[in-house]
Amino acid sequence: MRTMHRLAGHTGQPATESARLALRAYKRQRAEAGGRGQREAAPITIDALRAMVSACDLDTPIGRRDRLLLVLGLALMGRRSELVALQREDVREVPDGLEVTIRTSKTDKDSVGETIAIPRGTHPLTDPVVAWRDWLTVLDQAGPCSR
């Protein structure tokens, strides 16, 4: 809101300095009382990933999709929003694995994008290339509306 006011020629409006000072004081009090900020979730291990992938029914399109999302999610170490925004043309198979283009992200304010190399896996259930190929098979069988 403050940015929109500034762009419209109303600099310094609305006045938020007192609110910022109150929020800073609250954060300081909370930290002194032993409160913590936002906690970062612990990353999953490869064993946990294999257990989750083993629970996917790979005989169904949903199971194949879920496996791909789990495997790519770990390989990209990305945010959910980056993962769900992927389009078919954002993933390219290369000799060493996959190249995945993230068009925009929370930390990419100018939407410059980034291409991430993902190596092949050593286990068939968690190999990103195998998961990607299986998902492409599902898309191709679904027909042109899925592309």
Side-chain angles (χ1 to χ4, degrees), residues 92-99 116-122 127-130 133:
R92 197 166 63 96
E93 189 173 338
V94 294
D96 294 333
L98 298 174
E99 286 184 351
I116 300 169
I118 298 176
R120 292 180 180 277
T122 57
D127 181 351
V129 175
V130 172
R133 286 178 182 166

Side-chain angles (χ1 to χ4, degrees), residues 13-14 20 29-30 36 39 48 61 83 87 94 111 114 137:
Q13 297 296 324
R20 289 176 196 230
Q29 288 171 351
R30 187 163 186 252
R36 296 175 50 183
R39 292 181 296 156
L83 193 59
Q87 300 291 314
V94 294
S111 297
E114 176 183 15
T137 300

Side-chain angles (χ1 to χ4, degrees), residues 22-36:
L23 184 58
R24 189 176 303 142
Y26 169 75
K27 287 179 180 179
R28 187 177 310 112
Q29 288 171 351
R30 187 163 186 252
E32 289 170 359
R36 296 175 50 183

Side-chain angles (χ1 to χ4, degrees), residues 6-118:
R6 183 176 46 79
L7 293 173
H10 307 290
T11 56
Q13 297 296 324
T16 58
E17 190 59 32
S18 60
R20 289 176 196 230
L21 289 173
L23 184 58
R24 189 176 303 142
Y26 169 75
K27 287 179 180 179
R28 187 177 310 112
Q29 288 171 351
R30 187 163 186 252
E32 289 170 359
R36 296 175 50 183
Q38 185 176 0
R39 292 181 296 156
E40 199 170 297
I44 64 168
T45 63
I46 194 66
D47 291 333
L49 176 66
R50 286 185 182 145
M52 288 187 278
V53 168
S54 294
C56 297
D57 182 358
L58 300 182
D59 293 329
T60 67
I62 291 172
R64 290 181 183 192
R65 177 205 61 200
D66 290 350
R67 175 179 67 165
L68 177 64
L69 290 173
L70 289 166
V71 171
L72 272 185
L74 179 65
L76 288 171
M77 293 186 292
R79 292 177 170 80
R80 290 177 297 198
S81 59
E82 297 166 357
L83 193 59
V84 299
L86 290 175
Q87 300 291 314
R88 184 177 185 152
E89 59 271 10
D90 295 335
V91 181
R92 197 166 63 96
E93 189 173 338
V94 294
D96 294 333
L98 298 174
E99 286 184 351
V100 180
T101 300
I102 304 296
R103 294 173 189 257
T104 188
S105 71
K106 181 179 175 182
T107 57
D108 182 13
K109 300 296 183 195
D110 295 325
S111 297
V112 174
E114 176 183 15
T115 299
I116 300 169
I118 298 176

